[in-house]
Amino acid sequence: MFRIFSVWCFATVFTVSVYSQSVGLVLSGGGARGVTHAGFIKALEENDIPIDYIGGTSIGAIVGSLYAMGYSPDEMLKLFLSDDFAYWQSGKIQESYYYYFRKPDPTPEFTHFDINIRDADRTKGFKLPLGLVNPIQMDQAFMGLYGQATAYSRGNFDHLFVPFLCIASDVFDKKPLILRSGDLGDAVRASMTFPLVFKPILIDSIPVYDGGIYNNFPAKPMKDAFHPDYLIGSVVTGRHRKKPAERGLYEQIESMIMQSKNSKIDESNGYTAFFDLRDVNLLDFYRGKELFDLGYERGLAVVDTIKQKVLRTIPFKELTARRQAFKRELPPLIFKNVTIESVTEPQRMYIERQFHADLEDYFSMEDFKAAYFKLLSDSKIKELAPHAIYNEKERCFDLHLQVTINEEVSIGFGGNVSSSNANQLYLGLAYQSLRNYAMDFNVDLQVGNTFSGALLSGRIELPSQVPMYIKASGAYNYLNFFESKKLFLEGEPNAFIKEQEAYFKLRFGLPFLTKTKSEISIGYGRLQDSYYQSSNVNFSTTNFDKTTSSLFLASVAIKKNTLDAKQYPIRGQEHLLMAQFISGKEIYEAADKRAWMPKAYYSQSWIQLKGKVLNYHMFGSNFYFGYLLEGALSSKNLLNNYTASIIQAPAFTPTPHSKMSFNEYLRANEYLAGGIIPTVKLSNLLYLRGDLYAFSPVRRIEKNANNKPYYGNVFADLNMITELSLVLQLPFASISLYSNHYSHPSNNWNFGLNIGFLIFTPKFIE
């Protein structure tokens, strides 16, 4: 009887312990390698192994949090492979959210530093950014991804579908932070903030970084917080096969700062799956399906080992039903009230006015994103950190925006360093103010062998229901075209054409849809062209002929620009449709005062139309294809001589090199041009780019024996440009090694190296 009673007691205790047996899952950090976690989880689920608690660091925090708020492994994989996720990790804005109306005009700036004119002690000198990736994508994405779960749990991660924790790092007090409550998006964002890549966020006024700095595998925090009976671990970190000198920047940083403490679980009450992923780099998320499958296959291989210790089961169908029920309980992500924080009252009113102009009383996450990126297109607003706070009474979310305004004064530096005569130095001074209205004042100075100029401009965006701006600008430009075609110049080259212009323009702009704007301009300019009638002259003894023009201009234009780079883009579009009316007087002065007409006066008026379509498309993961269509029509009469007529004719300059060289075969009052731009992506920053263009004048400007101009036959000429460039697209500058060929004049080959941007002040007649 006693023996039977003993067996009964043991069986009862064993049965209770089995049915109360709890399981915790711990996920390590490791960048893109962490997609393996999701495949591993899928294998556990399909074999009815329960997951009662989950915790992780960095990518482990992302996977763990997604699981904790009801994502299935397949849904995680879909997210990691999505275009949205690619934008989050790159910081780039989707073309559909570009708001061109507020985009500042491009300059050749490399970098700048800010000056706080209200507090000289707070002047910000040049410093590296806190993160290489712009945080604005991740800020809005994490709010949208985690807002509902935060509201449902009331900020307590124990109340999610599965209780959750993650690890972040307090680098000031040199300790890990165990995050189990608060805003779920902030907690995950803190845990995966890889140093130098992502900007840290503040938690309790402390900037926090990636949890892997102090604990990349939080097995002990899992035990201490949830006391599970059995632990399962998934570790995706590992030493690199590459030598230290051969590793990329991110991999070297990872090796220096990431630590794996207690990366193995006691086998008596747990199991750890280690994955050898030394050939996978930190941001190789494009390999997500491969990594997911690897995790799934490894999970299937070890489930029998785990089941020997974990006798409790949760049927997969039951788990799926519970997950769906949990997700149905999440409050819909609908917003109503907007609160603007950390700004002055006039700034708050300006920002609120912009939001209310685009949003209804109730608005969705998609509505918010459009307004969010639209407002961030204003250079005066540095950051909008959004948070969704659930409003129990309204049964929707209140939107809280923590706004960071850029300093009012900044000084920028840039230009171009070249192997030819395209060396440029740029200095910019900017003042910007955001109060009841937005205001910008800019001074841009450029000095170089070929181009020198100064631009003073001011822009005010009026506080109206429909956004509109008034922009006034005054410019002086000086452009030299040289006779030398040497790769590396020796001595001072001779300029055979010199263009000078001084002008004032007043522009009035309106948004036209989201990615386009319309602009009406009026202006007055004085242009002077100094030139030789031939490049085969004695430069030391021959004077220039001169043509001086005093012109009035009125124009209307529709412009669109969503290109992803100032120079050598691979994505986006640039469209232009412009009509200009120009009227004024021109004076021709011959260098030889003994000529039969040493000075002549002309008056003329003409209409000029110009159109441009530049589109880039992506095919596959490494090939981009662009195409260009461009044309001009004009009623302008020919001038006194051929050279003056060809200088004043619109030019086709599709490449940086063509902007710096004078080619009479690529100029005409009326023309059609087009080309293709295939580009192969060699790495994230390195591209091999090809350019092939054709240019045909509607009527080529010809000359007779006396250098008098006349129009030739219609479409009787075709000229080609071919160029091959190796482009390194850095965040602050472009580096290009190029070789090109122009079909006319004959044997026109050019080779060179450019570091920087060849971007100049716009000409009076664009």
Side-chain angles (χ1 to χ4, degrees), residues 29-288:
R33 297 184 287 263
V35 182
T36 308
H37 295 322
F40 186 74
I41 292 172
K42 182 177 182 178
L44 299 180
E45 283 193 345
E46 290 182 351
N47 286 272
D48 303 336
I49 296 174
I51 300 173
D52 300 295
Y53 311 102
I54 195 163
T57 296
S58 195
I59 186 65
I62 296 178
V63 173
S65 64
L66 292 173
Y67 189 83
M69 60 189 231
Y71 270 65
S72 70
D74 287 330
E75 288 172 330
M76 294 181 206
L77 176 62
K78 184 178 179 181
L79 176 65
F80 289 134
L81 295 178
S82 68
D83 290 338
D84 283 342
F85 189 81
Y87 283 114
W88 301 349
Q89 61 171 315
S90 69
K92 295 182 178 180
I93 300 174
Q94 300 95 313
E95 184 180 341
S96 58
Y97 294 114
Y98 270 81
Y99 190 58
Y100 182 46
F101 174 74
R102 289 202 181 101
K103 289 289 183 182
D105 294 332
T107 68
E109 179 182 287
F110 291 170
T111 187
H112 68 271
F113 68 88
D114 300 324
I115 300 174
N116 189 306
I117 59 176
R118 302 180 187 278
D119 185 355
D121 293 335
R122 290 181 56 219
T123 295
K124 298 179 181 179
F126 171 76
K127 60 179 70 174
L128 289 173
L130 291 175
L132 297 176
V133 176
N134 192 323
I136 63 175
Q137 274 282 13
M138 195 165 292
D139 286 345
Q140 63 82 22
F142 273 45
M143 183 192 74
L145 189 63
Y146 292 107
Q148 295 164 277
T150 299
Y152 178 88
S153 68
R154 298 178 184 272
N156 185 341
F157 303 165
D158 288 355
H159 297 160
L160 295 168
F161 175 65
V162 172
F164 166 75
L165 65 79
C166 63
I167 306 297
S169 295
D170 176 356
V171 297
F172 288 92
D173 291 328
K174 296 181 173 56
K175 65 178 183 180
L177 297 177
I178 302 172
L179 303 176
R180 296 182 57 191
S181 62
D183 186 289
L184 181 59
D186 283 354
V188 177
R189 170 82 163 77
S191 183
M192 50 74 61
T193 300
F194 194 79
L196 296 183
V197 179
F198 302 111
K199 177 184 175 182
I201 66 168
L202 299 178
I203 292 183
D204 296 329
S205 302
I206 299 172
V208 291
Y209 286 89
D210 195 298
I213 297 175
Y214 296 118
N215 191 342
N216 202 39
F217 184 68
K220 186 176 186 304
M222 168 67 76
K223 291 179 183 178
D224 295 342
F226 300 122
H227 310 289
D229 299 307
Y230 192 84
L231 278 182
I232 302 173
S234 177
V235 179
V236 296
T237 54
R239 299 196 178 195
H240 293 275
R241 289 192 179 95
K242 296 178 181 179
K243 297 177 181 179
E246 297 174 345
R247 298 176 197 166
L249 173 63
Y250 296 155
E251 284 66 45
Q252 294 195 41
I253 296 174
E254 182 185 25
S255 299
M256 286 189 292
I257 65 176
M258 294 300 160
Q259 301 180 27
S260 297
K261 292 187 176 180
N262 302 319
S263 60
K264 190 171 183 180
I265 297 170
D266 185 355
E267 292 183 1
S268 63
N269 64 344
Y271 180 86
T272 308
F274 291 93
F275 293 88
D276 184 5
L277 302 173
R278 290 174 286 181
D279 62 333
V280 181
N281 292 323
L282 200 67
L283 299 178
D284 285 351
F285 284 96
Y286 69 93
R287 298 175 62 180

Side-chain angles (χ1 to χ4, degrees), residues 383-433:
E383 192 172 346
L384 290 172
H387 284 87
I389 310 297
Y390 191 64
N391 188 323
E392 294 278 359
K393 183 178 179 180
E394 299 280 355
R395 294 188 177 277
C396 63
F397 287 85
D398 293 337
L399 178 64
H400 288 241
L401 295 173
Q402 194 81 19
V403 182
T404 303
I405 303 294
N406 274 315
E407 300 293 347
E408 292 185 334
V409 176
S410 65
I411 299 177
F413 301 93
N416 190 72
V417 178
S418 176
S419 60
S420 63
N421 52 7
N423 293 294
Q424 297 289 132
L425 175 64
Y426 167 81
L427 174 65
L429 176 65
Y431 171 81
Q432 52 189 12
S433 174

